[in-house]
Amino acid sequence: AEGWGAGAGGSSHPATPSPQSPAARSDRADPARASDDDEERADRGLMERAVVRVVTPGTVVEPALLNDRQNSYLVAAIVEGNRAGLAYVDVTTGEFAACQIDERSGQEALQRELARLAPVEVLVPGPDHRRRRDPRGGDGDDPLSLPVAARLSPYDAWHFDLETARDALHQHFEVEALDGFGCQGLPLAIRAAGAVLQYVSETQPAARLQLTSLRTYSTAAMMTLDPATRRNLELTRTARGNTEKGSLLWVLDRTQTAMGGRLLRTWINQPLLDLAKLQARQQAVAEFVEDALRRRLAMELLAKVPDLERLINRVGQRIATPRDLLALAAGLRRVGELRGALAGDDLAPEARIAWLAQRLDPVEGASELVGQAIVPDPPTTFAEGGVIRPGFSSELDQLKESSRHAREWIASLETTERERTGIRNLKVGYNRVFGYYLEVSNANRAMVPAHYIRKQTLVGAERYITPDLKEYESIVLNAQEKIAELETAIFRQVGEQIAASGERIRATAQASALVDVFAALAEVAVRQGYVRPSLDEGTRLEIHGGRHPVVECARPEEAFVANDVSLATDSTQIVLLTGPNMAGKSTYLRMTALIVLMAQIGSFVPAREATIGLVDRIFTRIGAQDDLSAGQSTFLLEMLETAHLLSQGTPRSLLILDEVGRGTSTYDGMAIAQAVIEYVHNHPKLGARTLFATHYHELTELEHVLPRVRNYRMDVLEEGDRVVFLHRVVPGGADRSYGIHVARLAGIPRAVTRRAEEILRDLEQGKRGRAGRRTGRGEPADGVTQLALFAELHPVVEEVRHLDVLALSPLEALTKLFELQERAREKGAAF
């Protein structure tokens, strides 16, 4: 059962109270009770039963089943040719939005939007009948690749029909046209929105009433981030542990409220392209940065503000408890204090903080009503009463007073009757069959007054009732049920009055979330030494003293080596970054992408200075992964991601490529890597700012061929056999990778790394020795392999191969080894 009473812990069955008198008694179970209870149920009649709610992943509203800092989105999606429509709702907050995707590949853009929203349930058109199928059934109807946590729910296709969907929206919003919601010319958005609305109406009718507005948006207004880029940059979850710790969200989330936490997550997932909006956000953050006292006061007050969005939604759905109303009222009072703290006389009217303060409406009438109606510490159920404050309802007060008086009369009855009748062992008792009674032993039966009415005979006693006793009994037994019913009705009326202010409270919740995010970003900026970046519409990307925001927080004991980045489409378009493993190339690449992304959510950035021309898309090709279930090898996935960024990039994009071509043979990989660089550099519709990290040192020659390619390398300090990675990016190309050194650091046995060094020296010598014998195509003229050449250069190998090691004594083995070593040295000198 749903509703105010049930939501507050009420019961549809009346509770029978026990008498409060110390002398009250209760008999052992009586066989007559079963039939008596049956008669009571028969008197009440049949209880009306109905399905009032169907629980699905996207319609869950119970706080214990939800992540309070993450939205729970239910999405409807439809694909038609190259276009797609998408609509989503969060039934816990009342958010309802839709969009239509008209890009060249609507399916691909839809996948990106699903990755951004991370829905818990996705509706897609299913068969045109009402039978529900297995949500993961393999009939091939659904082309979507869903986020891991999402559940696919096929929904009868007729719900997605344009006329059906439009009618559902018209009826719900009580309008004749949808133009006021920005839906004109967006038929796929209308179809998706109508379908998701119908689904909510069927499964969660009460939640439907909280969808009071529909917002349309365009994916063109936000930076494009494909699923691979979100994964590689670890925006809200880490790629390996799939945890929030270690992600960008983990660094930036100093929010104090659940509402602010959800809003910050949304911002990180959808960086903006609107310069004016970004500068407005920056200004708000800057004002909190400059006013430390006001920032700390705001954060302290926000820490006491509950989740107003979800609380008012529970009120509107009639599932709120008395404690929910108290939390809502307390939160609104804190909002009032927050407004006063932000709207100080020392702020100019145009200041961003002062402007935000005007949006913080404490809705004083709602909090005052709750304070007048609900006791400070209400019980968890209505069964025992005590939820409504005394004095709020005269009818309830009178009912409670009559009940209290009746209980007091019954409690004093035993003493009164003993004194009046002289029967010293007279007792007042109670059982569920006969109710209250007076019990007199057989020895005192002669002293029983005439007005006593005999009710039950026992072995050694008689039980009696009186008209007055039955009258007070009726008051006591019926009062509790009437009190519970009346308190439930009063609570429902209070809830409905508060729900009438739902729109104002939601607006206040959204404003509180904004203040929370701005204060949190300012707090991080101050603590971590971030600066306000300069944003413009150009194509320059200049970062001085940039730092990786996550690495410097995850390893605070180590000083982070800051680096500069300089990219521009008309000069340094492509930075070719070489250098050893573990020297920081991947950190440098991700640092650049994260700084750009942070700037385009309105945050300050970890740098000494930054000028960023707005980036429309960030593409990353980092790391080695495979998808064996889909038959995709590591190299195939690498090439798919590379193909995607080459086809979708624009001159305003930022491309991050790490080790392109390393998944195949050396010559194939080098050829692919060089071709990719040339394509990015020369294609008239691409020309994107690019960071290209590689171990193919031969590619550094491209700087002399392609005018907008610049070589940079990770600096290394060599002291004998000791190698120190300085993690500093400097101009020029590298000629070594120091892979064996890294293998030694990883714990590879010393014998293996020593042997690897010997082989590497021999291979490099062999390479130089064969340099003059290569053909014009760059292959060895005689076709011999490096290992074969190595064997030719060391004829002692044949002797070692035929040596019977087990037959040698230790002394003979050492002697033979010394002899072979001397011969090898002589052969090497001769060579």
Side-chain angles (χ1 to χ4, degrees):
E2 299 285 347
W4 287 99
S11 172
S12 57
H13 297 284
T16 304
S18 300
Q20 300 302 311
S21 169
R25 304 289 190 271
S26 178
D27 284 344
R28 290 177 296 178
D30 190 312
R33 286 178 56 185
S35 58
D36 182 72
D37 289 344
D38 290 341
E39 289 177 4
E40 288 181 4
R41 282 194 292 269
D43 291 342
R44 283 193 223 110
L46 295 176
M47 179 182 295
E48 183 179 352
R49 299 181 184 274
V51 176
V52 296
R53 179 180 167 204
V54 178
V55 179
T56 72
T59 58
V60 170
V61 294
E62 285 72 20
L65 302 178
L66 296 168
N67 182 341
D68 62 350
R69 303 183 77 82
Q70 184 172 353
N71 286 100
S72 178
Y73 286 130
L74 167 67
V75 167
I78 184 169
V79 178
E80 190 175 83
N82 291 328
R83 302 186 306 163
L86 177 143
Y88 64 85
V89 299
D90 184 344
V91 297
T92 68
T93 63
E95 185 179 1
F96 187 13
C99 75
Q100 180 164 308
I101 300 169
D102 294 316
E103 299 182 18
R104 287 176 293 176
S105 177
Q107 173 73 22
E108 188 177 290
L110 179 59
Q111 302 289 4
R112 292 197 301 266
E113 192 63 3
L114 288 174
R116 178 184 75 83
L117 294 169
V120 294
E121 185 176 7
V122 179
L123 307 177
V124 294
D128 222 348
H129 53 65
R130 298 187 181 274
R131 179 178 62 84
R132 291 296 178 89
R133 304 173 300 166
D134 184 334
R136 293 288 178 183
D139 56 5
D141 287 346
D142 174 58
L144 299 179
S145 173
L146 298 179
V148 175
R151 174 187 186 272
L152 180 66
S153 297
Y155 193 39
D156 292 347
W158 61 269
H159 291 293
F160 288 83
D161 290 343
L162 182 58
E163 291 305 316
T164 302
R166 183 183 284 115
D167 289 344
L169 293 169
H170 284 173
Q171 293 177 15
H172 176 73
F173 292 115
E174 299 180 351
V175 295
E176 294 295 329
L178 299 174
D179 292 1
F181 299 106
C183 294
Q184 61 273 22
L186 304 176
L188 291 178
I190 293 174
R191 293 169 64 183
V196 77
L197 177 63
Q198 293 171 78
Y199 189 78
V200 171
S201 299
E202 291 178 8
T203 59
Q204 186 75 286
R208 176 180 62 85
L209 301 177
Q210 306 312 304
L211 306 180
T212 58
S213 180
L214 172 63
R215 177 178 63 88
T216 55
Y217 67 98
S218 171
T219 56
M222 61 187 74
M223 181 191 291
T224 297
L225 297 169
D226 57 41
T229 297
R230 294 180 186 276
R231 180 184 66 246
N232 291 332
L233 296 183
E234 299 179 312
L235 299 183
T236 58
R237 310 286 288 182
T238 58
R240 284 178 177 259
N242 195 32
T243 61
E244 186 177 303
K245 184 176 181 180
S247 67
L248 178 63
L249 178 64
W250 172 69
V251 173
L252 298 182
D253 193 1
R254 296 296 180 94
T255 57
Q256 304 299 307
T257 69
M259 304 169 292
R262 292 195 296 269
L263 181 62
L264 179 60
R265 181 185 293 267
T266 298
W267 283 13
I268 291 175
N269 278 317
Q270 58 176 50
L272 296 181
L273 300 179
D274 189 317
L275 184 59
K277 288 183 179 179
L278 287 172
Q279 290 173 339
R281 288 183 182 181
Q282 285 184 329
Q283 182 59 31
V285 175
E287 288 169 8
F288 275 115
V289 166
E290 294 163 4
D291 195 335
L293 182 61
R294 188 172 269 110
R295 181 179 73 250
R296 294 307 307 165
L297 179 57
M299 294 181 74
E300 289 174 5
L301 290 171
L302 284 164
K304 301 174 184 178
V305 176
D307 195 340
L308 299 178
E309 270 187 321
R310 286 184 172 172
L311 283 174
I312 188 58
N313 221 51
R314 288 176 62 81
V315 172
Q317 294 182 48
R318 294 189 172 186
I319 57 175
T321 67
R323 295 183 181 182
D324 286 337
L325 289 192
L326 287 176
L328 180 65
L332 291 174
R333 287 192 290 271
R334 291 290 181 269
V335 167
E337 296 176 29
L338 180 62
R339 176 175 179 168
L342 298 183
D345 296 335
D346 57 328
L347 288 178
E350 67 276 7
R352 185 61 49 181
I353 297 178
W355 173 78
L356 279 173
Q358 301 307 313
R359 297 180 58 181
L360 293 171
D361 179 4
V363 195
E364 295 174 350
S367 57
E368 290 174 359
L369 177 61
V370 173
Q372 295 167 2
I374 311 298
V375 297
D377 186 19
T380 56
T381 72
F382 283 96
E384 298 297 326
V387 172
I388 305 301
R389 273 183 181 271
F392 186 75
S393 168
S394 58
E395 180 183 359
L396 180 62
D397 291 345
Q398 292 174 4
L399 188 58
K400 288 182 176 181
E401 177 60 25
S402 62
S403 174
R404 184 189 61 78
H405 175 68
R407 288 178 182 278
E408 291 177 353
W409 186 89
I410 292 174
S412 64
L413 180 62
E414 184 174 292
T415 302
T416 301
E417 289 300 300
R418 282 182 178 182
E419 293 176 353
R420 191 171 67 83
T421 63
I423 303 174
R424 299 302 177 190
N425 62 355
L426 181 147
K427 300 175 182 177
V428 173
Y430 170 86
N431 67 29
R432 295 192 61 183
V433 177
F434 298 108
Y436 289 98
Y437 56 81
L438 297 159
E439 183 176 306
V440 179
S441 64
N442 289 337
N444 296 310
R445 188 165 52 183
M447 301 174 65
V448 173
H451 68 279
Y452 277 24
I453 303 171
R454 188 166 58 189
K455 187 68 175 176
Q456 185 182 18
T457 300
L458 303 178
V459 174
E462 295 283 348
R463 288 178 175 174
Y464 303 89
I465 61 173
T466 67
D468 288 344
L469 179 59
K470 297 308 292 182
E471 179 181 348
Y472 282 108
E473 174 191 287
S474 176
I475 294 173
V476 169
L477 295 182
N478 293 328
Q480 197 62 46
E481 180 179 354
K482 291 180 179 179
I483 289 172
E485 291 176 352
L486 185 55
E487 286 204 343
T488 302
I490 294 171
F491 182 75
R492 183 183 298 115
Q493 293 171 2
V494 171
E496 289 173 352
Q497 292 181 58
I498 293 173
S501 302
E503 288 304 308
R504 291 174 61 191
I505 296 176
R506 287 189 186 91
T508 292
Q510 293 165 6
S512 301
L514 274 175
V515 173
D516 196 10
V517 171
F518 290 142
L521 292 178
E523 182 73 9
V524 175
V526 171
R527 292 195 180 196
Q528 301 299 128
Y530 293 177
V531 300
R532 178 176 180 172
S534 174
L535 300 177
D536 58 44
E537 300 282 1
T539 56
R540 266 196 326 135
L541 176 55
E542 294 283 345
I543 300 172
H544 299 286
R547 312 186 307 277
H548 192 295
V550 179
V551 173
E552 73 169 353
C553 285
R555 306 176 71 173
E557 70 283 355
E558 300 179 18
F560 191 93
V561 178
N563 280 297
D564 298 343
V565 181
S566 180
L567 291 170
T569 57
D570 57 352
S571 55
T572 308
Q573 178 200 340
I574 301 174
V575 165
L576 192 62
L577 184 63
T578 53
N581 292 304
M582 284 188 64
K585 292 196 304 295
S586 294
T587 300
Y588 180 77
L589 299 182
R590 289 181 169 92
M591 174 201 79
T592 304
L594 289 176
I595 286 177
V596 169
L597 188 142
M598 290 171 64
Q600 292 190 217
I601 69 171
S603 171
F604 284 24
V605 299
R608 188 173 65 254
E609 182 182 357
T611 300
I612 297 173
L614 293 184
V615 171
D616 65 349
R617 303 177 179 211
I618 297 178
F619 295 98
T620 63
R621 159 80 287 283
I622 298 174
Q625 296 183 352
D626 57 29
D627 188 352
L628 298 181
S629 63
Q632 297 177 342
S633 67
T634 299
F635 183 63
L636 177 58
L637 275 180
E638 177 186 332
M639 290 298 98
L640 288 173
E641 292 178 5
T642 304
H644 173 68
L645 64 89
L646 291 178
S647 64
Q648 300 296 318
T650 74
R652 300 188 64 83
S653 300
L654 175 64
L655 307 187
I656 305 294
L657 297 103
D658 191 10
E659 304 299 347
V660 169
R662 295 293 289 182
T664 185
S665 67
T666 301
Y667 293 139
D668 280 355
M670 191 185 306
I672 291 172
Q674 179 172 334
V676 167
I677 294 172
E678 291 175 352
Y679 185 89
V680 172
H681 183 278
N682 297 329
H683 196 285
K685 294 185 179 180
L686 191 49
R689 290 160 284 184
T690 304
L691 292 178
F692 193 104
T694 183
H695 279 291
Y696 295 131
H697 304 135
E698 295 84 350
L699 296 179
T700 56
E701 295 299 321
L702 291 175
E703 183 182 52
H704 307 298
V705 179
L706 303 176
R708 295 190 302 279
V709 173
R710 300 289 183 273
N711 287 332
Y712 283 82
R713 60 183 173 83
M714 304 305 302
D715 203 9
V716 175
L717 177 64
E718 295 187 67
E719 298 177 347
D721 293 336
R722 184 167 174 263
V723 178
V724 178
F725 298 146
L726 301 179
H727 306 293
R728 187 171 59 217
V729 177
V730 296
D735 58 0
R736 292 185 60 188
S737 293
Y738 301 91
I740 296 175
H741 176 74
V742 174
R744 189 181 302 121
L745 294 177
I748 297 294
R750 184 68 177 173
V752 175
T753 57
R754 280 200 303 264
R755 179 59 181 152
E757 288 171 344
E758 294 174 0
I759 294 172
L760 178 62
R761 284 195 300 269
D762 292 331
L763 290 175
E764 289 176 343
Q765 290 174 358
K767 180 178 179 181
R768 288 193 294 270
R770 297 194 312 275
R773 294 185 288 147
R774 291 183 180 273
T775 67
R777 292 187 300 272
E779 295 292 340
D782 54 6
V784 296
T785 64
Q786 292 173 326
L787 289 178
L789 179 62
F790 178 79
E792 292 173 4
L793 293 175
H794 294 78
V796 295
V797 172
E798 280 298 312
E799 185 174 348
V800 173
R801 185 179 294 119
H802 294 93
L803 193 63
D804 187 1
V805 177
L806 298 178
L808 298 176
S809 68
L811 181 58
E812 291 173 337
L814 287 173
T815 302
K816 190 65 176 178
L817 180 60
F818 179 81
E819 176 187 341
L820 292 172
Q821 185 182 57
E822 289 297 314
R823 290 176 58 190
R825 288 173 176 169
E826 292 173 1
K827 180 64 177 176
F831 177 77

